[in-house]
């Protein structure tokens, strides 16, 4: 999970979707991005899990969540089922 205060976006890392590569690229574009932590309305920051859901993040950020765009990628459900079947 990444958050950019300057660009006002939250990237939610979904397992098995290339999230590590995406995080590396986004961090190289903006070194001020925060990883696995979010701001709270009182000005403090709180840690979140790398694969935190949007609902979990929203519960920690409160009204600040509405100021950000949320980005995530999902894997094709059929591809996921086939992969789990064979592995």
């Amino acid at each position: 999970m990444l958050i950019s205060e300057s660009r006002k976006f939250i990237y939610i890392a979904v397992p098995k979707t290339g999230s590590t590569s995406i995080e590396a690229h986004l961090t190289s574009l903006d070194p001020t991005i925060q990883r696995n932590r979010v701001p709270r309305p009182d000005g403090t920051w709180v840690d979140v899990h790398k694969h935190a859901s949007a609902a979990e993040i929203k519960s920690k950020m409160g009204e600040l969540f509405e100021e950000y765009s949320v980005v995530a990628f999902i894997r094709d459900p059929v591809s996921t089922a086939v992969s789990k079947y064979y592995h």
Side-chain angles (χ1 to χ4, degrees):
M1 187 243 99
L2 301 176
I3 186 167
S4 172
E5 284 191 291
S6 61
R7 297 175 185 196
K8 294 292 184 191
F9 76 82
I10 298 169
Y11 169 69
I12 296 177
V14 177
K16 304 295 181 189
T17 59
S19 58
T20 301
S21 297
I22 295 165
E23 287 176 339
H25 182 69
L26 290 172
T27 304
S28 73
L29 295 175
D30 182 358
T32 66
I33 285 178
Q34 296 290 317
R35 182 184 300 269
N36 303 331
R37 54 192 298 226
V38 295
R40 299 185 66 151
D42 65 5
T44 61
W45 287 75
V46 62
D47 292 340
V48 296
H49 187 268
K50 174 181 172 124
H51 297 294
S53 69
E56 291 172 284
I57 294 167
K58 185 176 183 177
S59 73
K60 294 189 185 236
M61 291 181 70
E63 70 234 16
L64 288 177
F65 185 81
E66 302 303 324
E67 298 176 15
Y68 291 80
S69 296
V70 179
V71 179
F73 296 94
I74 62 168
R75 187 173 177 186
D76 173 43
V78 173
S79 171
T80 302
V82 170
S83 177
K84 288 181 179 180
Y85 177 80
Y86 285 108
H87 299 298

